[in-house]
Amino acid sequence: MSSPDFLWGVATSAYQAEGGYNGAGEPQTNWARAEVLNEVAVTGLAADFWNQYEEDFARCREMGLGAFRMGIEWSRVQPVFEVAEWKRAAALNGAEMQAPPFDYAALDHYVAMFEACRAHGLEPVVTLHHFVHPAWLGTDPWLEETTPDHFARYVRETLGYINARLERPLHWFITINEPNMLVLNTYLGRQFPGAAPGGFRTMTKAYNQLLRAHVRAYNGIHDLYAEREWPLPKVSTNNYCSDLYWSDKLLLDLLAVRDRGIRRERVGDYICEKAREFERAFNAARIPLHRDPAYYVGAAVKRLSNWIGHRTFDPADFAPLLDEIYSSPRAGFLDYIGLDYYDPFAAHAFRWPVFWDHVFHNRSLRSWMLAAISSKWWDWRVLPRGLHFFCKYYAHDFARPILIAENGMALRRLPGQPHRHRRDSMTRSQFLRLHVHEVVKILQDHVPLAGYLHWSLFDNYEWGTYAPRFGLFSIDFQQGTERLEEDQFGDRPSEAYARLIREAREKLAL
């Protein structure tokens, strides 16, 4: 059953919400060049959370929330404002490029944000990397062995500075948001900026460095808290949930090898057995997937992917990560399991071709065709039973509490275009009712669930576009950044969420 510490809340991302990146005199990120080339929408003010955080926390308090997931943006904390000039200065000094200094004024601003968050009765859940990196790291830093060192230094300096100025140190951390989607969207789907050749070899190389960075950050945070005699933190990463083992649970099982007492020479057999175990459990759950004609294409792709995974997985490909894990002073790198649940089913990845709702400039015939047949945010199916399966299975398998770090539903809204309902005609209030009720069932099933964070408090920038709308509060970006309680279809989801949480608390208290 739910405890008083259960985290009912919302999730946001620093880059998507704050505003103030990539413009003149602003911190430059790896997305800056794509904006200049007009390949993606300009971030601009985004939701202006950097300036409106106080009012947003007050809205959360009024809804009765108890948690707020927010990020610290590395690009703002260790910024460069003009990349070419910074590189020239380093070259003139005749030295290797060093990381730029920390911006302590930006860190002071984050201190004020965390203080305000807690003053409104909200427990911060802090994301340290959310798909974005500073432009000074280059285009493909997660293919470089030195990047985990840079990341670990950023994490230690940032948290040491911020915590020393808070009444009590921060407690909940997500080191790297959805490493699986960062890699897939950069080196397979190509929705994210990246210059290196795509493919599985590049993806594996990136996974190694991202998970090494997580291990370094995990150890660094725990070391810092031990040195300062602060209460033990809760540190993890969060994947985008997927029923394809090789794109989600594989990464968690690799991080858990030492914690489970797996000898290094047995890692290959262990991973293949965990893959078979997961597939058996998933098939036994009989989740009612949406079986339209495109389903059979997705199901075939999943079968092929599993076939390839079992026949090609080689622990030697993950040697850099395994070196890091087996030489670490700690054996476990997941204090809880963070999961982001949207539509995690590979069979739903495709749709019948639709050519009118592209939101990016297609740079090739291939990208145009992929955009036409790939499910978009507003095509994602709604299956709360799947949330129950993943929470229960992961909690049992890892013997860790579960934090639902993201769960949400997209509407489509583009300036100058008619508002279109989702194909299933679902409103956000209906979506919330289904999923909050499922969370109650999960808790009644005695699954150790730590919290539920809805994505998101307000509409925001969604990785190159403002078309997908996930907010409890709507924003008409043509008119500014005012938070609107009613969306374009007359739904008032913030009121629904507040009511559903009250009802859930009453039911769970019985």
Side-chain angles (χ1 to χ4, degrees):
M1 299 292 276
S2 177
S3 78
D5 297 325
F6 186 82
L7 302 175
W8 290 108
V10 290
T12 64
S13 145
Y15 182 70
Q16 294 173 261
E18 288 176 357
Y21 293 97
N22 301 332
E26 296 175 343
Q28 300 295 295
T29 77
N30 59 308
W31 287 74
R33 179 169 170 77
E35 289 189 13
V36 170
L37 296 176
N38 200 32
E39 293 173 351
V40 298
V42 173
T43 317
L45 279 177
D48 196 29
F49 179 61
W50 188 250
N51 297 305
Q52 298 187 45
Y53 63 88
E54 189 84 50
E55 298 94 322
D56 286 325
F57 294 149
R59 291 183 179 93
C60 292
R61 183 192 64 225
E62 291 165 6
M63 281 190 285
L65 305 187
F68 194 102
R69 181 181 166 198
M70 58 183 285
I72 299 172
E73 179 47 56
W74 189 2
S75 305
R76 195 186 289 280
V77 167
Q78 257 186 304
V80 291
F81 302 97
E82 215 294 317
V83 178
E85 182 180 325
W86 178 72
K87 288 182 177 179
R88 280 196 299 271
L92 287 173
N93 290 332
E96 288 187 22
M97 251 188 323
Q98 300 296 313
F102 287 84
D103 185 338
Y104 293 100
L107 285 172
D108 285 333
H109 191 93
Y110 279 118
V111 170
M113 294 173 82
F114 289 123
E115 287 176 337
C117 187
R118 281 183 166 156
H120 286 283
L122 304 168
E123 179 64 27
V125 178
V126 183
T127 310
L128 297 166
H129 183 280
H130 200 125
F131 291 162
V132 177
H133 62 259
W136 55 266
L137 279 170
T139 307
D140 297 293
W142 295 115
L143 303 180
E144 304 295 332
E145 293 182 0
T146 55
T147 304
D149 293 327
H150 286 301
F151 183 68
R153 179 172 176 248
Y154 144 69
V155 168
R156 183 179 176 89
E157 181 68 19
T158 295
L159 298 187
Y161 185 92
I162 288 174
N163 278 339
R165 286 153 181 80
L166 294 174
E167 185 176 337
R168 54 188 172 90
L170 299 166
H171 183 67
W172 289 90
F173 294 100
I174 291 170
T175 56
I176 297 173
N177 176 77
E178 294 182 4
N180 56 344
M181 293 308 292
L182 175 56
V183 171
L184 288 167
N185 284 337
T186 305
Y187 299 115
L188 188 62
R190 292 297 193 182
Q191 295 97 325
F192 289 4
F200 293 113
R201 187 176 299 276
T202 304
M203 291 166 62
T204 302
K205 192 173 181 180
Y207 279 137
N208 273 290
Q209 301 311 326
L210 279 161
L211 296 183
R212 285 184 65 229
H214 166 72
V215 172
R216 294 278 181 95
Y218 180 95
N219 282 329
I221 294 169
H222 277 275
D223 288 345
L224 177 66
Y225 276 55
E227 292 165 14
R228 305 286 178 90
E229 298 183 340
W230 293 332
L232 282 176
K234 296 287 188 184
V235 185
S236 192
T237 183
N238 62 314
N239 269 347
Y240 183 100
C241 253
S242 174
D243 69 337
L244 181 60
Y245 176 86
W246 309 97
S247 67
D248 174 13
K249 195 168 182 289
L250 164 67
L251 307 183
L252 302 178
D253 284 334
L254 284 170
L255 287 171
V257 287
R258 268 188 68 199
D259 196 39
R260 289 170 164 167
I262 306 299
R263 298 192 309 276
R264 184 156 180 172
E265 63 270 20
R266 285 204 59 250
V267 168
D269 292 338
Y270 153 80
I271 288 296
C272 287
E273 177 52 37
K274 295 305 287 184
R276 288 188 289 269
E277 183 183 287
F278 173 79
E279 199 61 27
R280 286 193 297 269
F282 179 77
N283 290 336
R286 297 187 178 277
I287 298 167
L289 303 186
H290 185 79
R291 293 176 180 257
D292 61 6
Y295 160 89
Y296 296 96
V297 178
V301 169
K302 180 183 176 181
R303 287 194 297 272
L304 177 62
S305 299
N306 275 326
W307 185 87
I308 292 171
H310 278 287
R311 282 155 183 77
T312 63
F313 178 78
D314 185 350
D317 294 335
F318 288 91
L321 172 62
L322 295 173
D323 288 346
E324 191 79 37
I325 288 172
Y326 282 100
S327 63
S328 167
R330 293 179 181 82
F333 309 104
L334 302 166
D335 295 332
Y336 62 93
I337 302 299
L339 59 85
D340 294 359
Y341 184 85
Y342 292 96
D343 182 354
F345 307 107
H348 292 166
F350 298 101
R351 62 180 182 177
W352 281 120
V354 177
F355 300 103
W356 54 261
D357 70 342
H358 296 197
V359 295
F360 300 111
H361 297 285
N362 294 300
R363 287 168 284 179
S364 66
L365 178 62
R366 173 182 174 275
S367 67
W368 182 74
M369 286 301 299
L370 281 174
I373 64 173
S374 300
S375 293
K376 298 295 183 287
W377 301 271
W378 40 83
D379 296 315
W380 292 345
R381 279 69 165 193
V382 177
L383 281 170
R385 269 181 57 185
L387 179 63
H388 201 133
F389 165 77
F390 280 101
C391 288
K392 188 172 184 177
Y393 184 77
Y394 281 27
H396 176 266
D397 192 50
F398 291 99
R400 297 287 193 277
I402 305 296
L403 175 67
I404 302 169
E406 292 182 27
N407 171 241
M409 185 199 83
L411 300 172
R412 182 185 186 277
R413 184 176 182 181
L414 274 173
Q417 293 192 14
H419 302 325
R420 286 186 169 91
H421 286 279
R422 290 169 53 91
R423 286 189 298 172
D424 58 15
S425 299
M426 184 167 288
T427 67
R428 199 176 314 284
S429 291
Q430 292 169 334
F431 177 93
L432 284 160
R433 184 175 67 253
L434 290 172
H435 287 81
V436 171
H437 287 177
E438 197 67 41
V439 168
V440 171
K441 292 178 186 177
I442 294 168
L443 289 163
Q444 291 174 331
D445 202 14
H446 303 289
V447 175
L449 194 60
Y452 171 85
L453 307 178
H454 185 76
W455 182 274
S456 180
L457 178 62
F458 39 65
D459 291 341
N460 53 211
Y461 185 75
E462 283 290 338
W463 310 115
T465 176
Y466 281 99
R469 302 304 182 95
F470 285 91
L472 295 174
F473 291 91
S474 296
I475 297 178
D476 183 347
F477 290 103
Q478 286 185 300
Q479 302 299 320
T481 58
E482 179 186 358
R483 278 64 164 150
L484 306 171
E485 292 186 4
E486 190 169 287
D487 70 16
Q488 65 265 40
F489 302 115
D491 187 31
R492 301 172 74 89
S494 62
E495 294 177 0
Y497 192 34
R499 182 180 65 256
L500 288 162
I501 291 173
R502 286 195 304 271
E503 294 170 355
R505 285 176 173 146
E506 291 169 2
K507 188 169 186 176
L508 292 165
L510 295 176

